[in-house]
Amino acid sequence: MLLASLILIPFLGSALAALMPQDARNRESWLAIAVAVCGLLIALALFPQIASGEVLREEFAWLPAQGLFFVLRVDGLAWVFTLLVLAIGLLVVLYARYYMSPDDPVPRFFSFLLAFMGSMLGVVLSGNLVQLVVFWELTSLTSFLLIGYWHHRADARRGARMAFTVTATGGLCLLAGVLVLGHIVGSYDLDTVLAAGDQIRGHDLYLAALALIALGALTKSAQFPFHFWLPHAMAAPTPVSSYLHSATMVKAGVFLLVRLWPALAGTPEWTWIVGGAGVCTLLLGAFIAIFQHDLKGLLAYSTISHLGLITVLIGIGTPLAMVAAIFHILNHATFKASLFMAAGIIDHESGTRDLRLLRGLRHKLPVTATLAIVASAAMAGVPLLNGFLSKEMFFAETLHVGGDRNWWMSFAAVAMGMFSVAYSLRFISIFFGTPAQDLPRDPHEPPRWMRFPVELLVLTCLIVGIAPGISIEPILNIAVHSVLGSAAPDYDLAVWHGLNLPLFMSVLALAGGVLLYIVLRRHFDLQQREQVPLIHRFNGAQAYETTMLQLTRSAGWLLRRIGTTRLQSQLVLLMLMLLVVPPILAGAPPAWTRIPLQDFDPLFAAIWAIGGACAVAGAWMAKYHRLAALALIGGTGIVTAATFLWLSAPDLALTQLMVETVTTVLILLGLRWLPPRLESVDTPAQSPTRVWLRRSRDLLIAVGGGLALAALTYAVLVHPASDTIADFFLLNALGGGGGSNVVNVLLVDFRSFDTLGEITVLAIVALTVYALLRRFRPAPESAGVPPQQRFEADPASRQTPAQQADSGYLLVAGIYMRLLLPFMGVIAVYFFMRGHNLPGGGFVAGLIFAVAILVQYMLAGTVWVESHINLRPHRWLGFGLVLACVTGLGAWLFGHPFLTTYTAHVDWPLVGELHLPSAFVFDLGVFTVVVGTTMLMLVALAHQSLRAHRLPGEEAQAVEQGNADGRAN
């Protein structure tokens, strides 16, 4: 369980951080630090096994019938990336403690950050490709939340939407590519896929799989032409930028390419697709970075360029190129994280990131300036720093792949090196010159521990650059051998390799970069230039916005052409599709089979005739008499429940009866706030003939739809019975699920995962209804007291519902209903306890208990009930979902698939043997969710009576005294 704990701990920490109070910044920081430290300790404990070349696996059954298992796998590459994610994450958390303002919702920040950390670890540790895609999309979702953290800012919302749209679309492409890859290999297991490289490269679908997977990786790592989203993600807080753009999100794409290198690399297609995108990206990103005026914008484009460098190395695909790629991933993480943090310190202390305003900061921030200069030098590839080593390896590989004739790759590499020196000098320039006097704040050094992560990272850049053989080479070897295996080359990470061509290229890039910066600054007005020369017209972000706008317009055009706002027209289309589509799909109908009538029961037929009459009458009355229509439709529901009971399905009958009761009451409450029907509407009069034709058409379509459903039901009833799974459930309910009630065992055991999804949807619907109704205000004509309650001669008209139930004409009924509440609670407990063996269960019991609450509201009103009963339906919902999930996770702890049921047999004194299945706890979760859902919707509807009768001057008073909705929840 060590590997599972690496992922679970961040997600648990995320949940705990979300529950902490707003002013608990120190506690949240310590929680996040503890999570990262625990993860690091676990990862370091794995070092002896990883160093020996062992591949660790933990496997849990997921969908074994489909060949899917939840697999966690750690080899050298995954271990190194795990250290990177956790170590940089630890430093970012410490930095964020001092960066974030006390006014920010810090619990939400750390919750999102830890969830992102867990998602990224899931990508790194996944041993199943489908599972990897799931975590991949989780990183897109959590990064969306982090980038849009300051959601009150338009640029944050725009950047979050752009990043999510691009990366999530790439994730869908990745999913398609993974499915193709699984089809080729016959398995989604990572070890199996990595061992089937020759089979994959020789398959006809290789190019399709490669293109789809490359799209997923290139979009995530912001490679051309998808690079535009990354600069807009700079609207996030600087700790987020430092984390996402150094060690995590953008590194996920290149990690995937390195991970699948044994299976997909080694073909011209790989080189052209991956390497071509990388070359375009490294040149464009480096060139655009020179002309940025925002510190974080410069660093964002430099990140794009360095990711392009890594992608080029992966595209080259030689063993030494892969060594250089992995090495530069590590180096880039250290100097880029430190630079983002330094930029955040400058912004935090001076109030601006504008390069045109910042100058002379070394006088006010001497330590920070020194650290930033060293980190910038590492980014530029200055000797004795880590960036120099991996960049020199890059130069060597471009020479190798180009040979003696093809020098274009080497020219591109040197050009990129020159550009990187130029934008590094642009960053460094803010520390020199006359100190700026017009800054928003007077800058000064940050708190000691806010600067500590930068100091540690810069020290790492120096140590690796001066002594790479003893500092980084052992760790690099672990990652390289896990990817290349027997093809791993011999290499030497030394500072000096003699006078050679790569060294000459490094010197040329440094000298050329300095010269380029001087020329641009003196002769091309670099500080004031608003546009990027030559390529400013090619705006990827604008192309994205134009595409989204055109899609929106096209959707609107399509909706105007085929959509309608009238419910009747929509129902006509649905019924016509019901009549046309099924016959086309099913083909010619089979020969009709006559149902024998010797078992015909007149009583059963009479019950159905009553139900049908109620349905027809309800449809007829719905237009003019809503209350009568609701009562008639309720009669149809009762007939349906009676039908279930007649056909020996007591569980269904009981559920149908309770659902009918609850929904009737809730709909009745909703009807109260609908405006009355307008007797006269100023619309053009229609001729009687046209009205008759329209109604006749609707009648024919309605009758046709009903007959079609009847025919479908008849066809199902007379269809010869084939082999079904019903016998399996009947035979295994008691032995496999620990209960004799097959329906309940089916819901809470055999198909408990479906039930978990259903109660989750139920909770989401309840929260949505509650949120919508909190903003809903009744129409003015329905907000007053109903006409039926305005009869002055009736004493009850001058009493509130609570007064009527306490001392008015409802006194007897009020006493009866209050005594009925505990009695109905006992009935709910009875049906819940017997549900595993007899008709009942958590769903039915929850509805019974909800009805007990409903009748209190109906009789005594909202104010009286909520002054006597503390409902808190939100907590019921949350507790129920947590309880259901914990039941499933408990099975994992004992090595069984998620939500596997275990039945304990306990002998109790005086009671005897008790059978206690774990499904009982899951069913308790279902019970609480059902109660919480019903109460939440009930509260949302009932509170309309409080809002509707509130005078305008009372609104502010109600807010001041505390929102009534919040007190009830």
Side-chain angles (χ1 to χ4, degrees):
M1 292 294 293
L2 275 179
L3 303 187
S5 62
L6 279 172
I7 298 177
L8 286 176
I9 290 174
F11 283 114
L12 291 175
S14 173
L16 289 175
L19 297 175
M20 286 189 174
Q22 181 73 23
D23 58 349
R25 186 165 59 153
N26 287 330
R27 279 178 284 172
E28 290 143 3
S29 304
W30 280 112
L31 172 65
I33 289 172
V35 167
V37 169
C38 286
L40 273 174
L41 292 176
I42 294 171
L44 292 173
L46 303 175
F47 174 75
Q49 297 162 284
I50 299 299
S52 64
E54 188 176 347
V55 177
L56 306 179
R57 286 174 64 96
E58 288 181 4
E59 191 170 300
F60 306 90
W62 185 9
L63 294 175
Q66 304 298 323
L68 292 178
F69 295 85
F70 189 87
V71 181
L72 298 175
R73 176 187 183 275
V74 178
D75 61 358
L77 179 68
W79 183 77
V80 169
F81 263 86
T82 299
L83 284 182
L84 194 65
V85 171
L86 291 169
I88 300 293
L90 174 61
L91 297 177
V92 167
V93 167
L94 178 60
Y95 175 83
R97 158 63 184 83
Y98 297 94
Y99 180 88
M100 302 305 294
S101 168
D103 297 330
D104 289 324
V106 180
R108 182 157 55 89
F109 174 82
F110 283 108
S111 178
F112 293 164
L113 190 70
L114 291 175
F116 179 83
M117 181 187 292
S119 303
M120 190 64 199
L121 289 172
V123 171
V124 171
L125 299 176
S126 288
N128 181 287
L129 291 180
V130 176
Q131 171 190 328
L132 184 148
V133 174
V134 173
F135 283 111
W136 184 279
E137 292 294 60
L138 274 178
T139 62
S140 296
L141 178 61
T142 49
S143 65
F144 167 80
L145 297 173
L146 284 169
I147 295 170
Y149 172 74
W150 284 326
H151 53 78
H152 59 280
R153 290 169 38 180
D155 59 335
R157 298 193 299 271
R158 182 190 182 205
R161 284 196 303 268
M162 188 180 295
F164 181 75
T165 302
V166 175
T167 57
T169 303
L172 293 176
C173 295
L174 176 62
L175 175 61
V178 162
L179 295 177
V180 173
L181 205 59
H183 171 74
I184 295 172
V185 179
S187 172
Y188 298 106
D189 185 77
L190 183 59
D191 286 318
T192 305
V193 171
L194 294 180
D198 294 334
Q199 177 187 350
I200 295 170
R201 289 185 285 267
H203 200 277
D204 293 338
L205 294 175
Y206 165 72
L207 184 57
L210 173 61
L212 291 168
I213 291 173
L215 279 173
L218 297 178
T219 52
K220 188 71 97 176
S221 286
Q223 297 297 283
F224 178 84
F226 312 107
H227 61 284
F228 55 85
W229 69 262
L230 185 58
H232 291 275
M234 293 300 108
T238 298
V240 174
S241 302
S242 179
Y243 197 37
L244 265 64
H245 305 146
S246 62
T248 52
M249 183 174 176
V250 293
K251 292 291 172 62
V254 292
F255 166 80
L256 181 68
L257 294 175
V258 174
R259 179 84 286 170
L260 296 179
W261 181 87
L264 298 176
T267 64
E269 294 86 351
W270 170 273
T271 301
W272 281 106
I273 292 175
V274 178
V279 170
C280 295
T281 306
L282 72 91
L283 289 174
L284 281 174
F287 184 70
I288 297 173
I290 299 174
F291 300 94
Q292 297 302 301
H293 298 307
D294 178 71
L295 273 178
K296 287 177 67 175
L298 185 152
L299 294 177
Y301 279 104
S302 72
T303 297
I304 292 172
S305 178
H306 280 271
L307 290 169
L309 185 155
I310 297 167
T311 305
V312 169
L313 288 169
I314 297 171
I316 291 172
T318 61
L320 275 174
M322 294 304 297
V323 174
I326 298 172
F327 188 26
H328 198 67
I329 288 172
L330 301 176
N331 289 337
H332 177 260
T334 53
F335 64 68
K336 190 52 61 70
S338 62
L339 283 170
F340 269 114
M341 292 182 188
I345 290 173
I346 294 169
D347 183 23
H348 190 270
E349 302 303 332
S350 68
T352 182
R353 300 197 307 260
D354 195 330
L355 288 162
R356 293 166 294 187
L357 300 178
L358 295 167
R359 62 184 182 275
L361 290 179
R362 65 186 177 89
H363 299 286
K364 298 292 183 70
L365 302 168
V367 179
T368 301
T370 303
L371 296 172
I373 290 171
V374 175
S376 300
M379 179 170 64
V382 174
L384 298 182
L385 293 168
N386 59 350
F388 169 77
L389 299 174
S390 52
K391 193 172 287 187
E392 191 175 51
M393 295 175 71
F394 170 58
F395 290 151
E397 287 308 301
T398 59
L399 289 170
H400 173 75
V401 75
D404 297 331
R405 300 179 184 178
N406 193 351
W407 291 86
W408 70 270
M409 181 71 81
S410 299
F411 286 141
V414 173
M416 177 267 180
M418 293 171 60
F419 294 156
S420 67
V421 172
Y423 63 66
S424 298
L425 288 172
R426 183 92 194 277
F427 189 98
I428 292 172
S429 67
I430 65 174
F431 300 108
F432 297 94
T434 304
Q437 302 299 323
D438 54 349
L439 297 178
R441 289 195 291 267
D442 184 31
H444 56 81
E445 285 289 354
R448 175 71 182 84
W449 288 104
M450 183 179 183
R451 200 177 59 215
F452 174 76
V454 186
E455 296 170 345
L456 187 60
L457 289 168
V458 170
L459 180 62
T460 303
C461 294
L462 286 166
I463 293 174
V464 172
I466 295 171
I470 60 175
S471 60
I472 194 65
E473 189 169 347
I475 296 176
L476 183 60
N477 281 335
I478 292 174
V480 167
H481 282 84
S482 68
V483 176
L484 302 179
S486 59
D490 293 327
Y491 60 92
D492 180 24
L493 293 185
V495 177
W496 177 254
H497 289 95
L499 296 173
N500 52 27
L501 201 51
L503 178 62
F504 173 74
M505 294 170 68
S506 297
V507 174
L508 181 61
L510 287 170
V514 172
L515 181 61
L516 175 64
Y517 174 73
I518 293 173
V519 170
L520 289 174
R521 188 175 179 88
R522 292 184 178 180
H523 301 287
F524 289 91
D525 198 15
L526 180 61
Q527 286 292 92
Q528 302 303 322
R529 184 175 288 273
E530 294 295 336
Q531 295 178 332
V532 180
L534 304 177
I535 60 172
H536 64 273
R537 296 184 182 275
F538 302 98
N539 191 324
Q542 186 60 51
Y544 161 83
E545 297 289 0
T546 302
T547 302
M548 298 303 294
L549 181 61
Q550 291 300 325
L551 286 174
T552 304
R553 288 177 176 174
S554 301
W557 177 88
L558 188 65
L559 187 62
R560 288 192 299 272
R561 294 297 181 275
I562 66 173
T564 176
T565 57
R566 297 181 65 237
L567 178 61
Q568 189 177 29
S569 301
Q570 297 177 29
L571 292 176
V572 167
L573 289 175
L574 288 174
M575 297 307 294
L576 287 175
M577 291 300 102
L578 176 66
L579 293 172
V580 174
V581 175
I584 294 176
L585 296 178
W592 292 101
T593 304
R594 296 184 61 185
I595 299 179
L597 299 179
Q598 61 266 24
D599 295 330
F600 177 78
D601 193 316
L603 179 59
F604 186 64
I607 293 175
W608 267 53
I610 294 172
C614 287
V616 173
W620 180 268
M621 300 292 289
K623 189 171 184 179
Y624 295 101
H625 302 285
R626 298 167 182 162
L627 183 59
L630 180 60
L632 289 166
I633 297 301
T636 305
I638 292 174
V639 169
T640 305
T643 302
F644 289 143
L645 189 60
W646 189 285
L647 298 176
S648 300
D651 266 296
L652 291 177
L654 191 58
T655 303
Q656 171 66 29
L657 183 62
M658 298 312 303
V659 168
E660 195 67 38
T661 303
V662 171
T663 53
T664 299
V665 173
L666 292 177
I667 294 174
L668 183 62
L669 289 171
L671 290 179
R672 160 68 180 86
W673 303 111
L674 290 181
R677 176 175 173 79
L678 300 179
E679 297 298 335
S680 60
V681 182
D682 295 332
T683 56
Q686 295 182 348
S687 64
T689 304
R690 186 173 181 180
V691 172
W692 183 86
L693 289 174
R694 177 174 58 81
R695 291 179 177 177
S696 300
R697 178 204 66 185
D698 294 344
L699 177 62
L700 289 175
I701 293 175
V703 172
L707 291 176
L709 287 175
L712 179 62
T713 305
Y714 180 83
V716 171
L717 290 174
V718 301
H719 190 274
S722 57
D723 292 335
T724 67
I725 61 173
D727 291 338
F728 170 82
F729 294 124
L730 292 171
L731 293 174
N732 291 278
L734 185 58
S740 56
N741 182 0
V742 180
V743 174
N744 184 264
V745 172
L746 180 67
L747 292 175
V748 301
D749 188 335
F750 293 122
R751 298 188 62 183
S752 54
F753 194 75
D754 289 347
T755 304
L756 178 61
E758 289 163 5
I759 62 174
T760 303
V761 171
L762 197 63
I764 292 171
V765 169
L767 291 170
T768 304
V769 170
Y770 178 76
L772 290 174
L773 288 178
R774 277 175 64 89
R775 297 293 181 183
F776 170 77
R777 293 298 180 270
E781 59 269 25
S782 63
V785 178
Q788 297 87 338
Q789 299 179 16
R790 298 176 190 166
F791 187 54
E792 294 295 332
D794 185 2
S797 64
R798 295 184 293 274
Q799 293 179 321
T800 64
Q803 292 171 338
Q804 294 170 5
D806 275 337
S807 58
Y809 75 102
L810 292 178
L811 175 61
V812 175
I815 295 174
Y816 170 72
M817 286 300 176
R818 290 165 204 164
L819 293 176
L820 188 63
L821 177 62
F823 178 71
M824 292 185 70
V826 172
I827 294 176
V829 172
Y830 169 72
F831 274 102
F832 174 76
M833 297 295 293
R834 74 198 293 262
H836 215 53
N837 295 291
L838 294 170
F843 194 85
V844 171
L847 290 174
I848 293 173
F849 190 74
V851 169
I853 303 295
L854 277 172
V855 295
Q856 307 300 318
Y857 269 91
M858 293 174 65
L859 185 74
T862 305
V863 175
W864 186 92
V865 173
E866 294 182 4
S867 63
H868 290 77
I869 306 175
N870 194 4
L871 295 176
R872 301 186 182 276
H874 288 94
R875 297 191 179 184
W876 283 75
L877 279 178
F879 179 73
L881 289 175
V882 169
L883 201 60
C885 292
V886 167
T887 306
L889 294 174
W892 267 1
L893 295 177
F894 294 97
H896 298 289
F898 185 67
L899 284 172
T900 300
T901 296
Y902 173 76
T903 302
H905 302 276
V906 182
D907 288 318
W908 282 13
L910 303 178
V911 177
E913 185 179 14
L914 287 179
H915 304 276
L916 300 175
S918 61
F920 176 86
V921 182
F922 180 83
D923 211 15
L924 182 59
V926 174
F927 168 83
T928 53
V929 169
V930 171
V931 174
T933 297
T934 309
M935 288 196 302
L936 193 59
M937 290 190 284
L938 169 66
V939 165
L941 287 167
H943 280 201
Q944 295 304 319
S945 61
L946 302 180
R947 298 192 187 100
H949 301 152
R950 187 178 296 155
L951 297 175
E954 296 174 338
E955 189 75 27
Q957 183 181 357
V959 173
E960 187 176 324
Q961 292 177 351
N963 192 296
D965 295 352
R967 290 197 302 270
N969 295 283

